[in-house]
Amino acid sequence: MLTEENLVLTRSEPSGHGGLQFVYRIRDYGVAAVNFPTEDITQLEWTVDVIKFHDADTLRYELCHTTELAKSTLKFRNDKAVNDFLQKAFTYLNTFQSTQEQAG
C-alpha cells in the first residue's frame, strides 16, 4: 500500500487501461503514480511521474520532466520502492519550491 501522506486523489487510471492512479501534491508540484495491470499477476509495476499543477484550485496537471528529481517517467516494481521515492520527492519538492520562492 502506498503512503497517504500528501495524497489528494485516488482513482481508476484515467486512460481506461485499468489500474489505479494515486496523485500526491506539494503546493504547485506533485507525483502521479499509476499501477497498471500486467499479464503476470505476480509482477507489479508502478509508473511514476513528477507533475506540475495548473493552478491552486484544481487537480489539473501536466507532466514535469524538468526537475532534478526525475527527468523522465520512472518505473518501480513494488510499493516499498515507490514509497521510498515519494518520501524523497516530498522533501525535494518542498525544498525546490522554497528555493524558487526566495529567488522569485
Side-chain angles (χ1 to χ4, degrees):
M1 183 69 180
L2 296 189
T3 184
E4 292 186 11
E5 180 182 353
N6 300 308
L7 182 65
V8 293
L9 179 66
T10 303
R11 64 181 175 181
S12 295
E13 194 279 320
S15 73
H17 293 114
L20 290 175
Q21 181 186 50
F22 293 78
V23 178
Y24 298 87
R25 186 171 192 157
I26 306 291
R27 294 185 279 186
D28 296 336
Y29 288 85
V31 175
V34 177
N35 177 347
F36 290 105
T38 61
E39 290 181 21
D40 182 356
I41 199 160
T42 62
Q43 284 292 95
L44 178 66
E45 181 173 282
W46 285 99
T47 301
V48 177
D49 284 292
V50 174
I51 56 177
K52 183 170 183 183
F53 291 93
H54 289 220
D55 55 56
D57 298 326
T58 68
L59 294 177
R60 293 180 310 122
Y61 63 84
E62 59 191 40
L63 299 183
C64 179
H65 292 154
T66 59
T67 69
E68 293 298 319
L69 184 61
K71 299 276 187 195
S72 62
T73 299
L74 305 173
K75 303 250 186 216
F76 296 97
R77 298 284 182 211
N78 58 55
D79 290 359
K80 181 182 180 331
V82 176
N83 282 328
D84 289 347
F85 174 79
L86 287 171
Q87 288 308 310
K88 177 182 172 184
F90 298 158
T91 301
Y92 173 86
L93 292 172
N94 271 319
T95 303
F96 175 73
Q97 290 179 94
S98 292
T99 303
Q100 282 188 326
E101 289 169 2
Q102 291 173 357

